[in-house]
Amino acid sequence: MSLRKKTISGLTWNFAQQFSVQLIGFCVTIILARILLPEEFGLIAMLTVFIAIGNSLLESGLTSSLIRSSDLGEDDYSTVFFFNLVGSFVLYGIVYLCAPLVSSFYNQDILTLILRIYALEFIINAFFAVQNARLTKEMNFKIQMKIQIPAVLIGGLLGVFLALNGYGVWSLVWMGLFQSFLSTVMHWIYSGWTPEWVFSKTCFKRHFSFGYKMTLTGLLEIVYRNIYVLIIGKSYSVAQLGFYSRADSASQLPIANISAVINKVTYPMFASIANDDVRLKAVYKKLMQQVIFWNAPVLILLAVIAEPLFTFLLTSKWVPAVPYFQILCIAGVMYPLHAYNLNILKVKGRSDLILKLELIKKIICIVGILCVLPFGIYGLLYFQLIFNFFAYYINSIYSGRLINYSIREQITDIIPIIVASAFAGLMCYLANMFYFSSLQLPDIIRIVINGFFFLVIYLVSSTFLRLAPINDFKQLILTK
């Protein structure tokens, strides 16, 4: 199969998987949010950073090395598998012992038991990390879809059942663990690979030399992504953290669907043409424009319709999360391109440069956060917005140098798309302010009218500006 057909197939199946999984997860979350209290979501949010750090340490970047490497043998896969498995038990033991410290930090005694149970996810996930990496390397997203949809659906149903029966925060814990367990079982059934009893020091050194830098990079990103949760959880009420967590999760939905699809497919695809800079630049440019073309308008529209959307889906008890959600939506416009840029550095084997860039960005981030702390939670949110655009700028400079695609060229290629999205959002906002709000329409009607109005303006603006992604999308998807 040609690279083009393989990419289209990968995009199609991966988007189907991502959209289906996110849709199911979204529906489950809506139901749970209507049953549970913001405080119960806040408790889980407090542990997010620790669970994410644990999972990142377990991966150790070794699975990324498997995906980018060629001429792999069974020794490579089995070595990484057993390293992850042993590491998961060691890490769980550390978390188990440190759980009381986490509870003390947040002054929430219940977190000790929750963390000790929730952290079992480390061990469960270690059993399928390599199988998942093999499927990604082969761009076999059809099988991944068959695995993920049942796991999310059945796990979600369990979570709703427990919530309805008064399990509170524990319904979220057991839902997550059960989803991981089902995913593990089905990876072993569908992947067609099982480890051999072998551990090669040579293979380990090969993958670790690349992977440990990716691990440090991942840890920096996780700490950055969750530093707001740590600060809000420590400084404000559990309910306020619940509002922030729900706003952040909701704003991540389009980002997760669009960026996860693009990045998961582009990494192995870029790796296959890593030595052809001219071709790599052409593909990179087209996909970058596609990411912004779909991501920017969706997030801006969500920011405009945030109030009726939250009221309709989550009930009025979640309305305090609306302003947080609106700021985070705008902040997320450029976020999918962060990992997308880093994929260029990864396939070029520059994990050292990735680590250097992440260190620089995170140092600047920490200094910035300390400066805006006196301005409260909104100071943190607006800083997050500004920093996301700055982070894209830094990443694109270095990835662009490797493929002769300057930051000026990149910005020139995406500015018209952002302008079209912003114009549609502004027109929709003004229509709401001066007309729709006075009609006192039901929330669902307001959402539908605003969505249609925004779509018409965005498509007309895109056509007027002759945006390249429209034609590229037709050629990529519609042309056989």
Side-chain angles (χ1 to χ4, degrees):
M1 185 184 292
S2 68
L3 178 63
R4 179 178 178 275
K5 290 182 178 179
K6 197 171 185 179
T7 301
I8 293 174
S9 176
L11 283 169
T12 302
W13 283 110
N14 196 21
F15 181 80
Q17 172 207 344
Q18 196 70 30
F19 178 80
S20 301
V21 168
Q22 290 295 324
L23 179 61
I24 295 169
F26 179 64
C27 293
V28 169
T29 299
I30 289 174
I31 298 171
L32 290 173
R34 297 175 77 94
I35 301 171
L36 303 177
L37 298 174
E39 289 87 344
E40 290 166 323
F41 281 92
L43 288 172
I44 293 298
M46 289 177 171
L47 303 180
T48 300
V49 61
F50 304 103
I51 297 299
I53 287 175
N55 284 325
S56 181
L57 284 171
L58 281 178
E59 182 185 339
S60 302
L62 301 188
T63 53
S64 293
S65 182
L66 291 176
I67 294 172
R68 70 175 289 274
S69 301
S70 57
D71 301 323
L72 295 176
E74 286 300 316
D75 288 0
D76 296 273
Y77 290 113
S78 297
T79 296
V80 173
F81 176 86
F82 285 113
F83 175 79
N84 284 350
L85 188 59
V86 173
S88 69
F89 282 94
V90 174
L91 184 60
Y92 177 76
I94 294 173
V95 171
Y96 187 93
L97 294 174
C98 294
L101 298 178
V102 176
S103 296
S104 177
F105 175 79
Y106 287 117
N107 197 27
Q108 296 286 337
D109 293 337
I110 192 176
L111 289 180
T112 297
L113 182 58
I114 293 176
L115 182 56
R116 285 174 171 174
I117 299 297
Y118 205 178
L120 288 170
E121 181 178 295
F122 300 153
I123 298 173
I124 299 172
N125 289 345
F127 275 95
F128 75 88
V130 172
Q131 285 90 334
N132 189 63
R134 284 175 61 90
L135 292 173
T136 300
K137 184 178 181 65
E138 297 165 0
M139 298 180 73
N140 193 341
F141 302 111
K142 182 178 180 180
I143 294 296
Q144 290 184 341
M145 184 179 74
K146 291 181 178 180
I147 292 171
Q148 289 300 316
I149 291 178
V152 173
L153 178 59
I154 299 172
L157 291 174
L158 174 64
V160 171
F161 173 80
L162 293 175
L164 288 171
N165 284 273
Y167 281 78
V169 66
W170 289 102
S171 60
L172 300 174
V173 175
W174 292 115
M175 178 180 72
L177 288 176
F178 195 63
Q179 286 174 344
S180 293
F181 173 75
L182 288 176
S183 186
T184 298
V185 171
M186 286 187 282
H187 268 92
W188 278 70
I189 293 173
Y190 286 108
S191 69
W193 179 85
T194 54
E196 296 181 356
W197 291 98
V198 60
F199 186 92
S200 169
K201 291 183 179 179
T202 302
C203 293
F204 176 75
K205 290 179 180 179
R206 174 191 177 190
H207 297 296
F208 187 76
S209 63
F210 174 85
Y212 84 89
K213 299 167 195 169
M214 296 306 304
T215 298
L216 294 176
T217 300
L219 289 175
L220 287 171
E221 179 63 19
I222 288 168
V223 172
Y224 162 69
R225 286 288 302 156
N226 290 278
I227 194 169
Y228 300 95
V229 172
L230 288 171
I231 293 173
I232 296 170
K234 179 65 175 176
S235 306
Y236 302 95
S237 68
V238 181
Q240 198 155 13
L241 177 57
F243 290 132
Y244 173 82
S245 173
R246 184 53 37 222
D248 186 51
S249 297
S251 69
Q252 288 293 317
L253 279 173
I255 299 172
N257 276 300
I258 296 171
S259 65
V261 169
I262 296 295
N263 290 324
K264 198 171 185 180
V265 175
T266 56
Y267 185 33
M269 183 192 67
F270 285 165
S272 68
I273 56 174
N275 297 320
D276 187 345
D277 288 347
V278 174
R279 191 179 180 191
L280 191 57
K281 175 184 176 180
V283 174
Y284 175 88
K285 174 181 176 179
K286 288 181 181 293
L287 289 175
M288 178 185 69
Q289 290 177 316
Q290 287 294 331
V291 171
I292 290 295
F293 184 77
W294 298 104
N295 190 60
V298 170
L299 286 171
I300 291 175
L301 173 61
L302 287 175
V304 173
I305 64 173
E307 189 272 327
L309 186 66
F310 268 61
T311 303
F312 176 71
L313 294 178
L314 305 177
T315 72
S316 58
K317 69 181 177 183
W318 288 96
V319 168
V322 167
Y324 304 166
F325 175 73
Q326 291 173 318
I327 298 172
L328 291 170
C329 279
I330 306 303
V333 167
M334 301 301 291
Y335 186 78
L337 295 185
H338 291 197
Y340 182 57
N341 270 277
L342 296 179
N343 277 346
I344 294 293
L345 301 180
K346 283 198 284 186
V347 299
K348 289 292 187 179
R350 296 302 307 272
S351 57
D352 59 324
L353 182 55
I354 295 174
L355 178 57
K356 179 181 177 181
L357 289 177
E358 292 304 304
L359 281 171
I360 293 172
K361 288 187 296 184
K362 272 43 180 185
I363 290 173
I364 295 173
C365 173
I366 292 172
V367 173
I369 287 174
L370 292 175
C371 291
V372 301
L373 271 178
F375 300 97
I377 190 169
Y378 283 101
L380 293 170
L381 288 168
Y382 282 115
F383 174 76
Q384 189 172 349
L385 188 158
I386 295 170
F387 187 80
N388 268 5
F389 282 83
F390 170 76
Y392 163 72
Y393 177 78
I394 294 295
N395 284 351
S396 59
I397 287 177
Y398 289 91
S399 62
R401 286 177 182 174
L402 293 177
I403 57 175
N404 195 30
Y405 190 22
S406 69
I407 179 62
R408 177 175 292 183
E409 286 184 83
Q410 294 184 49
I411 293 176
T412 300
D413 288 333
I414 64 175
I415 279 293
I417 303 172
I418 295 177
V419 168
S421 302
F423 177 73
L426 178 62
M427 292 297 99
C428 205
Y429 174 77
L430 293 175
N432 265 303
M433 179 181 292
F434 295 108
Y435 183 67
F436 294 138
S437 60
S438 63
L439 297 180
Q440 296 184 339
L441 298 170
D443 292 326
I444 184 61
I445 300 300
R446 290 175 60 190
I447 293 170
V448 172
I449 291 176
N450 277 283
F452 179 76
F453 187 57
F454 182 95
L455 178 63
V456 170
I457 296 176
Y458 181 62
L459 290 178
V460 170
S461 302
S462 299
T463 303
F464 177 77
L465 294 173
R466 298 179 181 179
L467 298 183
I470 295 179
N471 292 328
D472 291 339
F473 180 72
K474 290 179 180 178
Q475 293 176 6
L476 184 66
I477 303 299
L478 302 180
T479 304
K480 294 183 180 180

